[in-house]
Amino acid sequence: DAVPGLFPAGCLETAFARFRNALVALLAAGGPDADTRPLNELQQAYFVSRAAAGTADWDGCQLYQCFHLADLDLDRLQSVWLSVVSRHEVLRTEIGLDGRALVRRSAPGRWHVPVADISGVGRAAAVSRIRDDMTRRAFPLARGPHAELLVTRDRAGFTVHLAVDLIVADALSIELLFRELLSEYAGETPGRPRPAPGAPPAGEEQD
C-alpha cells in the first residue's frame, strides 16, 4: 500500500510491471535461446553516446505513440503484444554493455502490461506526463527489452502508450510496429478476425 497522492498517477503500477517483466527477462537471460550480433553503424553511434554517460542521467532517444479506445480487452492486448514481439526481433533485442546485441530467438511466455487509473488527474495532463517519462527516460543497457507498453484508464476510456528505443529500430520501423499492434488488436490481421471491444481509436499521438 502507498499513501494516496504520494506518487504521480500510474507510477506504482508502472514500476511494479517493470519489476515483473524484469524478472521474466532475467529468467530468460543468456542460454542457447539467444544470438549475439555486432551493432550496425547507427546503433554504434547511439551506444557510444549512452555508454559515455556512465551513471549520469540520459535523456534517451525513444519514439512514442499512443491511441485511445472506448473499451479495452487487456488479455487480448497482452496476447497481441507477445504475437508482435514473436514476429519482430527488434523487440527481442537487448544492447549489452560490451557494445553487442543479444537477440532472443523467441518471445517471452508472458508479459504484464500495467493499467493505471488517471481519472483524478485528467487525460491531457496524464498523457503529457507519461509521454515525457517514456521519451526522456532512456532504456538501460544490458537490460532488455528496449520497448515499453502501458495503459491508462480514465472516465472517457483507455489510452495505450508505446515507446521503442531508436537503438533497436528506426522511426519508420517503429511506426509500422505500432500500426501492426493496433491492426492486430482490432482484428485486421489474417487469422484474427474477431473485432476488438470498444470503438475505433478516437485519436493517435506520437513524439
Side-chain angles (χ1 to χ4, degrees), residues 2-84:
V3 178
L6 184 61
F7 298 95
C11 179
L12 294 179
E13 294 90 342
T14 302
F16 182 62
R18 289 170 181 164
F19 174 72
R20 289 184 59 177
N21 293 332
L23 290 179
V24 172
L26 181 63
L27 292 173
D33 191 37
D35 299 317
T36 302
R37 303 175 186 175
L39 304 182
N40 60 37
E41 292 184 357
L42 183 57
Q43 288 176 317
Q44 291 175 24
Y46 282 120
F47 170 79
V48 169
S49 298
R50 191 168 306 181
T55 57
D57 290 340
W58 170 258
D59 283 345
C61 295
Q62 284 80 246
L63 184 68
Y64 163 91
Q65 294 188 316
C66 71
F67 61 91
H68 310 301
L69 296 169
D71 196 7
L72 179 76
D73 182 336
L74 182 62
D75 289 338
R76 178 172 174 82
L77 178 65
Q78 292 179 144
S79 176
V80 168
W81 174 245
L82 287 176
S83 176
V84 174

Side-chain angles (χ1 to χ4, degrees), residues 3 20 27-28 52 73 90 105 117-118 143 153 185 204:
V3 178
R20 289 184 59 177
L27 292 173
D73 182 336
V90 297
R105 297 173 188 166
D117 190 340
I118 58 171
R143 196 189 311 164
R153 177 180 62 235
Y185 177 80
E204 180 179 320

Side-chain angles (χ1 to χ4, degrees), residues 102-168:
L102 181 70
V103 182
R104 307 197 186 284
R105 297 173 188 166
S106 59
R110 62 188 183 280
W111 200 255
H112 181 65
V113 177
V115 179
D117 190 340
I118 58 171
S119 299
V121 180
R123 174 177 287 182
V127 168
S128 177
R129 183 189 63 78
I130 289 170
R131 181 185 64 239
D132 289 347
D133 176 65
M134 295 180 78
T135 55
R136 296 177 181 176
R137 174 186 45 79
F139 291 99
L141 298 173
R143 196 189 311 164
H146 293 273
E148 184 171 24
L149 182 69
L150 64 91
V151 173
T152 52
R153 177 180 62 235
D154 57 39
R155 295 182 180 88
F158 298 81
T159 303
V160 179
H161 311 258
L162 174 65
V164 181
D165 198 331
L166 287 165
I167 201 171
V168 295

